[in-house]
Amino acid sequence: MVASAYAMISGLYKNKGFVETIKRRLQEYRSTASIIRVERPTRLDRARALGYKAKQGIIVVRVRVRKGGLNKIRPISGRRPKRMGVQGYSPAKSKRLIAEERAARKYPNMEVIGSYYIAEDGLYKYYEVILADPNHPSVKNSKEFKWLQYPANRRRVFRGITSPGKKMRGLYKSRGLKGTLKHKNKRKIREREEKKRHEGSRYYRLQGTKAPGK
């Protein structure tokens, strides 16, 4: 069976001979701005898998995020160096989520569709973020992006609805319950439904009657 073009593109990043090409690209990336719009995606296979379409209203942005943890201001009052609390702080957000949020702030009229990793050097990590304008006619009239019109998807990256946001919130963890990735999502939905049916819920308090079967 002949491999597809996207399979060949993804195989390039696993090839050791492609390292020199990435190094040359990193030299170019370091000389540009931290958030810059690119003409076409670097990794077409990942972009198409996330929903990228070469049409008006959809853009790709390359974002540079600094690597490493966070440092806090050194306290003025005296204490042991062990208790200074200056180094060793890491954000709860992933670098990829930080890149998505920065791209969304740069383009406030657009929504984040997805993002993927490109490359990294000793100081920075580079991501490409796919953005779509929900009010653009070509996006608004498209069946693939009709879900962007719903109010529940507005500013979705800042509410933890994108893939790295859900991972940060722990929605992809099974926590050893059933060994499935989506079990926590299903369990949360079931708990909400049971809470609505509970006799102490707002529904039964407003009715002023006892719960059925009680």
Side-chain angles (χ1 to χ4, degrees):
M1 185 176 178
V2 180
S4 65
Y6 298 125
M8 296 177 67
I9 293 172
S10 62
L12 284 174
Y13 278 81
K14 300 175 184 178
N15 190 356
K16 293 182 179 179
F18 197 65
V19 175
E20 296 299 326
T21 305
I22 295 177
K23 287 182 179 179
R24 288 196 297 269
R25 287 179 180 175
L26 285 172
Q27 293 176 2
E28 178 189 349
Y29 294 166
R30 282 191 286 266
S31 62
T32 57
S34 60
I35 304 173
I36 186 170
R37 180 177 174 178
V38 295
E39 186 178 353
R40 59 179 64 89
T42 305
R43 299 180 62 182
L44 185 60
D45 58 322
R46 289 296 302 133
R48 290 300 298 270
L50 293 170
Y52 170 77
K53 299 285 185 181
K55 61 193 302 182
Q56 291 182 342
I58 299 176
I59 65 170
V60 180
V61 179
R62 185 174 65 242
V63 184
R64 184 177 67 203
V65 183
R66 191 181 182 92
K67 292 169 66 174
L70 302 176
N71 294 337
K72 296 181 72 175
I73 299 175
R74 193 175 182 87
I76 300 173
S77 58
R79 64 195 73 182
R80 287 183 291 166
K82 179 181 178 181
R83 302 301 180 192
M84 283 290 181
V86 176
Q87 298 176 346
Y89 287 91
S90 61
K93 300 177 183 178
S94 65
K95 304 294 182 187
R96 187 173 149 208
L97 179 58
I98 293 172
E100 288 184 354
E101 290 181 347
R102 290 180 181 178
R105 290 190 182 98
K106 179 78 172 180
Y107 299 91
N109 64 318
M110 309 192 88
E111 297 290 346
V112 174
I113 302 297
S115 62
Y116 51 90
Y117 167 86
I118 304 175
E120 65 181 283
D121 53 17
L123 194 59
Y124 299 103
K125 280 191 175 183
Y126 298 89
Y127 298 91
E128 281 187 353
V129 184
I130 304 169
L131 298 158
D133 185 1
N135 299 314
H136 197 282
S138 63
V139 177
K140 198 172 185 178
N141 300 326
S142 175
K143 292 182 179 180
E144 296 92 346
F145 299 102
K146 188 178 180 180
W147 55 274
L148 286 174
Q149 304 300 320
Y150 301 138
N153 292 317
R154 289 175 188 162
R155 312 304 288 167
R156 58 197 302 267
V157 66
F158 300 108
R159 297 188 289 117
I161 302 178
T162 58
S163 180
K166 288 182 179 180
K167 185 176 181 181
M168 176 195 67
R169 293 162 59 200
L171 298 180
Y172 288 159
K173 289 183 179 179
S174 63
R175 298 198 298 181
L177 297 174
K178 292 259 179 111
T180 57
L181 294 176
K182 296 184 179 179
H183 181 73
K184 188 175 179 181
N185 267 330
K186 300 292 184 182
R187 186 171 62 83
K188 288 289 185 182
I189 294 171
R190 187 172 67 250
E191 286 177 357
R192 291 190 192 104
E193 291 176 353
E194 290 175 354
K195 187 176 181 181
K196 288 179 182 178
R197 293 195 297 266
H198 193 267
E199 64 182 36
S201 67
R202 185 170 178 269
Y203 171 80
Y204 289 113
R205 289 201 305 271
L206 291 176
Q207 299 300 317
T209 58
K210 291 182 65 179
K214 297 290 183 181

